[in-house]
Amino acid sequence: MTRVAVMVIHGLGMQKENYADTLISRLHKELDQVMVLPGAAKQMLDIEPVFWADVFEDREEALFQQLVSSQGLNYQVLRRFVIHYLADAVAYQPVEWKIKGITMMRYIIR
């Protein structure tokens, strides 16, 4: 029987480590309904969730504390949303530079 690998990557923002649990159980349930062999989903699917939300979490929270919380600014929920969601998008943008006339690209992940 052919196996299928599925990698689940969460979206932007503040995610929990179990973000993919519901999706994984639904995928298993749906595949079991369409397959003749009972338990086929467990035999056919290798599902691996990828959790990367914590990569920038500490720095985003430090930025929030420094710029928003310590200043006593209004609309803190909105400001937290902007920092945690847009910072993720900015952090994964490709950066281009040239070395000896060769254009190089990389993703900033520190």
Side-chain angles (χ1 to χ4, degrees):
M1 184 178 302
T2 302
R3 296 187 63 79
V4 176
V6 178
M7 181 169 54
V8 182
I9 304 172
H10 63 72
L12 300 176
M14 300 168 63
Q15 304 292 331
K16 295 184 173 122
E17 288 192 54
N18 64 346
Y19 73 95
D21 291 354
T22 302
L23 174 66
I24 292 169
S25 70
R26 287 184 180 172
L27 282 173
H28 281 125
K29 181 180 175 183
E30 291 295 322
L31 186 60
D32 281 340
Q33 286 180 356
V34 298
M35 296 299 290
V36 176
L37 181 64
K42 295 259 186 221
Q43 295 176 27
M44 293 180 61
L45 291 177
D46 287 319
I47 303 174
E48 188 66 37
V50 177
F51 180 74
W52 59 267
D54 59 345
V55 172
F56 297 112
E57 185 176 354
D58 292 342
R59 283 180 265 175
E60 289 170 357
E61 188 57 32
L63 179 64
F64 176 81
Q65 293 300 324
Q66 182 181 3
L67 296 179
V68 179
S69 187
S70 67
Q71 303 298 319
L73 298 176
N74 294 328
Y75 305 105
Q76 290 198 11
V77 172
L78 176 61
R79 292 172 193 272
R80 183 180 297 278
F81 172 84
V82 169
I83 287 173
H84 283 281
Y85 283 76
L86 296 183
D88 286 350
V90 170
Y92 284 94
Q93 293 304 305
V95 175
E96 186 176 302
W97 75 100
K98 289 191 177 190
I99 299 176
K100 297 182 181 179
I102 299 172
T103 301
M104 309 290 278
M105 297 280 297
R106 74 178 175 127
Y107 287 87
I108 299 177
I109 301 176
R110 297 181 187 183

